[in-house]
Amino acid sequence: MSEPDHDMQSLMEDADPSFDAVMTCVFGIQAHETRTYLTLLDHPGSTAEELATVLERDRSNVNRSLTALLEKGLVDRDRRLLDPGGYVYQYTAVPLPEAKEDLHEALDAWTETVHRVIEEFEPERD
């Protein structure tokens, strides 16, 4: 998997980061995955093909984005049976308040870790 488009250092250096940049950095996802999540908020129950059309991206790329979002717990997937047989997956973004809460929790955990590292630091003496 490739590195996220934003890292913590660039996020901290930005005096006014965008929500997209924060989400991309904190969840460790790509900008196009964040865009997929935000688009899915407006198009709940979409298939990968439907999202590909809205996002103007290749369906295989959208499928990869959806897989990453599923792994991060940012989307839910339901299987819908088709009348002629077979099935299709429909995706729904977790509600934005839930994603925001997850962002807060991840940042709080990171902040606690950094504070602990600072407090426990003792320089080595020769």
Side-chain angles (χ1 to χ4, degrees):
M1 180 178 244
S2 58
E3 292 295 315
D5 296 329
H6 297 279
D7 61 17
M8 192 60 72
Q9 180 177 348
S10 64
L11 188 66
M12 290 172 62
E13 291 172 354
D14 189 342
D16 189 23
S18 68
F19 179 79
D20 296 18
V22 171
M23 191 167 173
T24 298
C25 176
V26 173
F27 286 129
I29 58 178
Q30 300 294 320
H32 61 84
E33 293 162 348
T34 297
R35 184 172 165 239
T36 300
Y37 168 80
L38 295 172
T39 300
L40 201 50
L41 284 172
D42 294 329
H43 299 87
S46 294
T47 64
E49 187 171 342
E50 292 166 342
L51 277 174
T53 299
V54 172
L55 291 165
E56 298 179 346
R57 293 182 53 221
D58 183 76
R59 189 178 72 168
S60 63
N61 290 331
V62 171
N63 272 326
R64 283 192 289 280
S65 293
L66 290 167
T67 297
L69 294 169
L70 277 166
E71 290 171 359
K72 298 293 182 177
L74 292 168
V75 300
D76 295 317
R77 179 176 75 178
D78 293 311
R79 189 164 76 164
R80 183 184 71 187
L81 297 174
L82 301 173
D83 287 336
Y87 61 90
V88 65
Y89 286 117
Q90 293 178 290
Y91 298 87
T92 302
V94 299
L96 188 55
E98 185 177 327
K100 286 180 177 182
E101 183 62 30
D102 291 345
L103 283 168
H104 283 293
E105 288 174 8
L107 283 173
D108 289 346
W110 180 80
T111 302
E112 274 184 37
T113 300
V114 171
H115 283 295
R116 184 177 35 76
V117 167
I118 292 168
E119 289 304 314
E120 292 176 356
F121 177 74
E122 293 290 333
E124 291 185 23
R125 308 251 188 236
D126 289 339

